[in-house]
Amino acid sequence: MAALGGLFAEDATFVNRFGHFVRGSDAIVALHAPIHETIYRDSTLANELLDVAHIADGAAVVHFWSRLTAGVAHPAGPQQVDTLILAVLIKQGETWRIRALENVTLTNPRTGEAILRG
């Protein structure tokens, strides 16, 4: 979780795939720690960069696919979930950090059922 927190600016905002909003790298870690100690303890993420748009000197908007593969620790059992992530990155010194991130689950608009891309 320390590594996760280090990706974010201290005053970063985060919206998870369920619409939960938090502000601050400590709050982002606090949001993730309990689920990664329990239902996601045997999960993995695979990310695929889609686009980087430099919007100003030291600022960029990034879009990427993220596939969560949950293991047997998840109450619903092993499964995969795809999300599309939008992140705003800022350069602090020589390091790029996430200033804002929003994570959206891919769903069928008619049924609300989660779908996998491709």
Side-chain angles (χ1 to χ4, degrees), residues 35-47:
I35 59 174
H36 285 274
E37 291 171 357
T38 57
I39 65 171
Y40 291 152
R41 71 178 177 266
D42 58 351
S43 67
T44 59
L45 282 177
N47 297 316

Side-chain angles (χ1 to χ4, degrees), residues 11 15 27 43-45 47-48 50 59 62 73 89-90 97 100 104-105:
D11 60 346
V15 179
S43 67
T44 59
L45 282 177
N47 297 316
E48 178 185 334
L50 290 173
V62 177
L89 280 65
I90 57 170
R97 299 222 188 277
V104 179
T105 303

Side-chain angles (χ1 to χ4, degrees), residues 72-95:
V72 297
H74 195 282
Q79 59 184 292
Q80 292 183 316
V81 176
D82 279 345
T83 60
L84 180 60
I85 296 178
L86 178 148
V88 177
L89 280 65
I90 57 170
K91 195 168 186 183
Q92 296 181 322
E94 294 302 312
T95 305

Side-chain angles (χ1 to χ4, degrees), residues 55-76:
I55 57 174
D57 190 34
V61 174
V62 177
H63 287 89
F64 59 94
W65 291 117
S66 186
R67 176 167 285 170
L68 168 70
T69 301
V72 297
H74 195 282

Side-chain angles (χ1 to χ4, degrees), residues 2-43:
L4 174 69
L7 297 173
F8 291 88
E10 188 175 315
D11 60 346
T13 58
F14 185 94
V15 179
N16 74 6
R17 66 189 188 100
F18 303 106
H20 188 142
F21 173 90
V22 294
R23 178 181 300 281
S25 57
D26 290 343
I28 293 166
V29 169
L31 176 67
H32 286 84
I35 59 174
H36 285 274
E37 291 171 357
T38 57
I39 65 171
Y40 291 152
R41 71 178 177 266
D42 58 351
S43 67

